[in-house]
PDB file of all heavy atoms in Angstrom:
ATOM      1  N   VAL A  12      13.228  -4.785  -9.016  1.00 99.00           N
ATOM      2  CA  VAL A  12      13.392  -6.033  -9.786  1.00 99.00           C
ATOM      3  C   VAL A  12      14.825  -6.243 -10.167  1.00 99.00           C
ATOM      4  O   VAL A  12      15.414  -5.387 -10.819  1.00 99.00           O
ATOM      5  CB  VAL A  12      12.498  -6.019 -11.065  1.00 99.00           C
ATOM      6  CG1 VAL A  12      12.603  -7.344 -11.805  1.00 99.00           C
ATOM      7  CG2 VAL A  12      11.037  -5.704 -10.719  1.00 99.00           C
ATOM      8  N   LEU A  13      15.399  -7.385  -9.720  1.00 99.00           N
ATOM      9  CA  LEU A  13      16.759  -7.661 -10.042  1.00 99.00           C
ATOM     10  C   LEU A  13      16.750  -8.643 -11.218  1.00 99.00           C
ATOM     11  O   LEU A  13      16.204  -9.703 -11.167  1.00 99.00           O
ATOM     12  CB  LEU A  13      17.485  -8.320  -8.907  1.00 99.00           C
ATOM     13  CG  LEU A  13      17.406  -7.604  -7.540  1.00 99.00           C
ATOM     14  CD1 LEU A  13      18.252  -8.238  -6.508  1.00 99.00           C
ATOM     15  CD2 LEU A  13      17.725  -6.144  -7.705  1.00 99.00           C
ATOM     16  N   THR A  14      17.414  -8.217 -12.334  1.00 99.00           N
ATOM     17  CA  THR A  14      17.303  -8.946 -13.574  1.00 99.00           C
ATOM     18  C   THR A  14      18.558  -8.767 -14.431  1.00 99.00           C
ATOM     19  O   THR A  14      19.236  -7.744 -14.267  1.00 99.00           O
ATOM     20  CB  THR A  14      16.038  -8.457 -14.350  1.00 99.00           C
ATOM     21  OG1 THR A  14      16.095  -8.927 -15.703  1.00 99.00           O
ATOM     22  CG2 THR A  14      15.907  -6.957 -14.401  1.00 99.00           C
ATOM     23  N   LEU A  15      18.778  -9.713 -15.322  1.00 98.00           N
ATOM     24  CA  LEU A  15      19.840  -9.526 -16.309  1.00 98.00           C
ATOM     25  C   LEU A  15      19.302  -8.720 -17.504  1.00 98.00           C
ATOM     26  O   LEU A  15      20.072  -8.360 -18.418  1.00 98.00           O
ATOM     27  CB  LEU A  15      20.379 -10.880 -16.767  1.00 98.00           C
ATOM     28  CG  LEU A  15      21.153 -11.646 -15.738  1.00 98.00           C
ATOM     29  CD1 LEU A  15      21.495 -13.035 -16.179  1.00 98.00           C
ATOM     30  CD2 LEU A  15      22.462 -10.864 -15.378  1.00 98.00           C
ATOM     31  N   PHE A  16      18.028  -8.444 -17.549  1.00 98.00           N
ATOM     32  CA  PHE A  16      17.411  -7.743 -18.666  1.00 98.00           C
ATOM     33  C   PHE A  16      16.557  -6.576 -18.152  1.00 98.00           C
ATOM     34  O   PHE A  16      15.315  -6.594 -18.353  1.00 98.00           O
ATOM     35  CB  PHE A  16      16.589  -8.698 -19.526  1.00 98.00           C
ATOM     36  CG  PHE A  16      17.419  -9.764 -20.125  1.00 98.00           C
ATOM     37  CD1 PHE A  16      17.458 -11.048 -19.529  1.00 98.00           C
ATOM     38  CD2 PHE A  16      18.160  -9.549 -21.278  1.00 98.00           C
ATOM     39  CE1 PHE A  16      18.276 -12.054 -20.062  1.00 98.00           C
ATOM     40  CE2 PHE A  16      18.938 -10.525 -21.828  1.00 98.00           C
ATOM     41  CZ  PHE A  16      19.003 -11.790 -21.206  1.00 98.00           C
ATOM     42  N   PRO A  17      17.162  -5.562 -17.546  1.00 98.00           N
ATOM     43  CA  PRO A  17      16.329  -4.444 -16.991  1.00 98.00           C
ATOM     44  C   PRO A  17      15.530  -3.741 -18.036  1.00 98.00           C
ATOM     45  O   PRO A  17      14.481  -3.146 -17.745  1.00 98.00           O
ATOM     46  CB  PRO A  17      17.391  -3.552 -16.355  1.00 98.00           C
ATOM     47  CG  PRO A  17      18.711  -3.946 -16.894  1.00 98.00           C
ATOM     48  CD  PRO A  17      18.596  -5.376 -17.285  1.00 98.00           C
ATOM     49  N   GLU A  18      16.021  -3.776 -19.305  1.00 98.00           N
ATOM     50  CA  GLU A  18      15.296  -3.112 -20.369  1.00 98.00           C
ATOM     51  C   GLU A  18      13.947  -3.761 -20.667  1.00 98.00           C
ATOM     52  O   GLU A  18      13.119  -3.162 -21.383  1.00 98.00           O
ATOM     53  CB  GLU A  18      16.157  -3.002 -21.624  1.00 98.00           C
ATOM     54  CG  GLU A  18      16.585  -4.305 -22.276  1.00 98.00           C
ATOM     55  CD  GLU A  18      17.783  -5.025 -21.591  1.00 98.00           C
ATOM     56  OE1 GLU A  18      18.188  -4.602 -20.497  1.00 98.00           O
ATOM     57  OE2 GLU A  18      18.259  -5.989 -22.194  1.00 98.00           O
ATOM     58  N   MET A  19      13.675  -4.946 -20.129  1.00 98.00           N
ATOM     59  CA  MET A  19      12.350  -5.570 -20.325  1.00 98.00           C
ATOM     60  C   MET A  19      11.279  -4.844 -19.501  1.00 98.00           C
ATOM     61  O   MET A  19      10.095  -5.068 -19.732  1.00 98.00           O
ATOM     62  CB  MET A  19      12.386  -7.053 -19.934  1.00 98.00           C
ATOM     63  CG  MET A  19      13.095  -7.938 -20.941  1.00 98.00           C
ATOM     64  SD  MET A  19      13.255  -9.625 -20.350  1.00 98.00           S
ATOM     65  CE  MET A  19      11.617 -10.268 -20.607  1.00 98.00           C
TER      66      MET A  19
END
Side-chain angles (χ1 to χ4, degrees):
V12 182
L13 310 188
T14 166
L15 291 172
F16 298 98
E18 62 280 11
M19 285 175 76

